[in-house]
Amino acid sequence: MKYVPLIAVLALVAALGIGLWRGGAGDADEGFATLDAERHIVIHCGNSMRPVAERLAERFQREQGIAVRFNFGGSAELLAAIALGEVGDLYLCHDPYAQRLADAGLLARAETVGHLEPVLIVAPGNPHAIGSLADLATPGLRVGLPDARYSTAGAMVAAELERRDLAEAVQRNTRVQTRGHNDVAMALINGHVDVAMAWNFIAGYHAAGLEPVASGIDWPETRVTLCLLTHARDVKAAQRFIDLAQSPWGRHTFQEMGYTRSGSAP
């Protein structure tokens, strides 16, 4: 492993705002009496995968007695930290970051465990009768979008709107643009917008407050990938976590929580 001076890593962390060891299932050891106090794995986890990752971690800890610690952040930010030698065993990301990890020579194993896809989200009952991406251009409709400067989904939506000559009309309707998908969902739930676009998992995460509507678009495939890092400290434990994610229960969990393409299983 190539070691980097700690001050360099800390400088990058400060510049990018990456939070180390932020709240994950592995931080709450109470209730897991069989956890080995000396053994844990570290997962660098993209924010969009946090809900499902924490559910997997709960079961992994219960069954394996090995703690899970998370470093949550944007996939790009986490990749930069990994490249600088940040301690970790696994990296859970979406396209295109697994390939970038491989290009940097830091990927030991990669498994596709789910998919992300932009969907329309509306208030329960779809009061504005939204039925397609084109409806975002309806005069007077208040729209929320993920910011294309920071979000892969935002960039995909912006490109599709441009391709369909809808970009200007939708921009006139746009009231909220956020970096995080949860933020745009909350704008909808709190009544600040009438419709929004977000990754598919958001609809499941906020099932009581919103509902998804198919956009009618055949979006480019965006895989969710669980990556074993070349400098993993506990390879056997990390492999066990991958095995759990790929198990029938794990795949069902990804699908149940919305990480699946329209009309398909992950």
Side-chain angles (χ1 to χ4, degrees):
M1 170 183 172
K2 181 179 178 181
Y3 290 93
V4 178
L6 178 60
I7 190 171
V9 175
L10 293 177
L12 179 76
V13 168
L16 294 177
I18 300 172
L20 296 180
W21 321 126
R22 285 190 289 169
D27 294 330
D29 288 350
E30 293 182 7
F32 296 98
T34 60
L35 279 180
D36 182 343
E38 300 299 324
R39 193 175 186 187
H40 66 268
I41 59 171
V42 175
I43 303 176
H44 299 289
C45 179
N47 289 324
S48 294
M49 281 64 70
R50 180 170 183 163
V52 68
E54 290 185 326
R55 184 176 293 186
L56 290 171
E58 289 173 2
R59 179 159 179 167
F60 179 82
Q61 292 178 141
R62 186 169 63 247
E63 294 182 347
Q64 300 293 330
I66 301 170
V68 178
R69 296 181 182 175
F70 284 111
N71 180 21
F72 293 110
S75 292
E77 297 169 349
L78 295 174
L79 179 60
I82 293 168
L84 280 179
E86 184 63 51
V87 172
D89 302 283
L90 296 166
Y91 173 45
L92 184 57
C93 61
H94 60 68
D95 284 333
Y97 296 102
Q99 184 58 53
R100 294 180 183 176
L101 187 74
D103 292 342
L106 297 170
L107 178 64
R109 176 187 174 188
E111 300 293 346
T112 298
V113 290
H115 289 84
L116 290 172
E117 182 177 274
V119 298
L120 292 158
I121 51 175
V122 299
N126 195 4
H128 296 276
I130 303 299
S132 70
L133 190 69
D135 289 338
L136 298 183
T138 303
L141 195 70
R142 299 175 301 162
V143 175
L145 296 174
D147 195 320
R149 295 173 296 175
Y150 309 110
S151 164
T152 299
M156 292 168 67
V157 171
E160 189 64 26
L161 291 174
E162 191 68 38
R163 190 178 76 82
R164 293 172 178 265
D165 199 26
L166 295 169
E168 289 187 12
V170 173
Q171 186 58 45
R172 286 195 294 270
N173 286 346
T174 300
R175 299 294 180 268
V176 173
Q177 282 187 294
T178 66
R179 182 167 185 163
H181 293 265
N182 194 60
D183 293 332
V184 77
M186 292 308 300
L188 174 64
I189 291 170
N190 291 327
H192 301 307
V193 296
D194 304 313
V195 59
M197 295 290 300
W199 282 136
N200 45 8
F201 79 92
I202 281 292
Y205 191 67
H206 292 287
L210 55 82
E211 63 183 54
V213 174
S215 65
I217 306 299
D218 185 17
W219 299 101
E221 183 180 34
T222 304
R223 298 167 298 174
V224 174
T225 307
L226 187 54
C227 305
L228 176 66
L229 301 176
T230 56
H231 57 263
R233 297 169 305 108
D234 194 331
V235 174
K236 288 184 178 180
Q239 296 274 21
R240 290 182 196 174
F241 192 92
I242 295 175
D243 291 343
L244 175 63
Q246 286 198 297
S247 71
W249 176 86
R251 290 188 174 277
H252 174 75
T253 299
F254 274 94
Q255 186 173 12
E256 180 184 47
M257 297 185 72
Y259 295 86
T260 183
R261 301 188 77 184
S262 299
S264 68

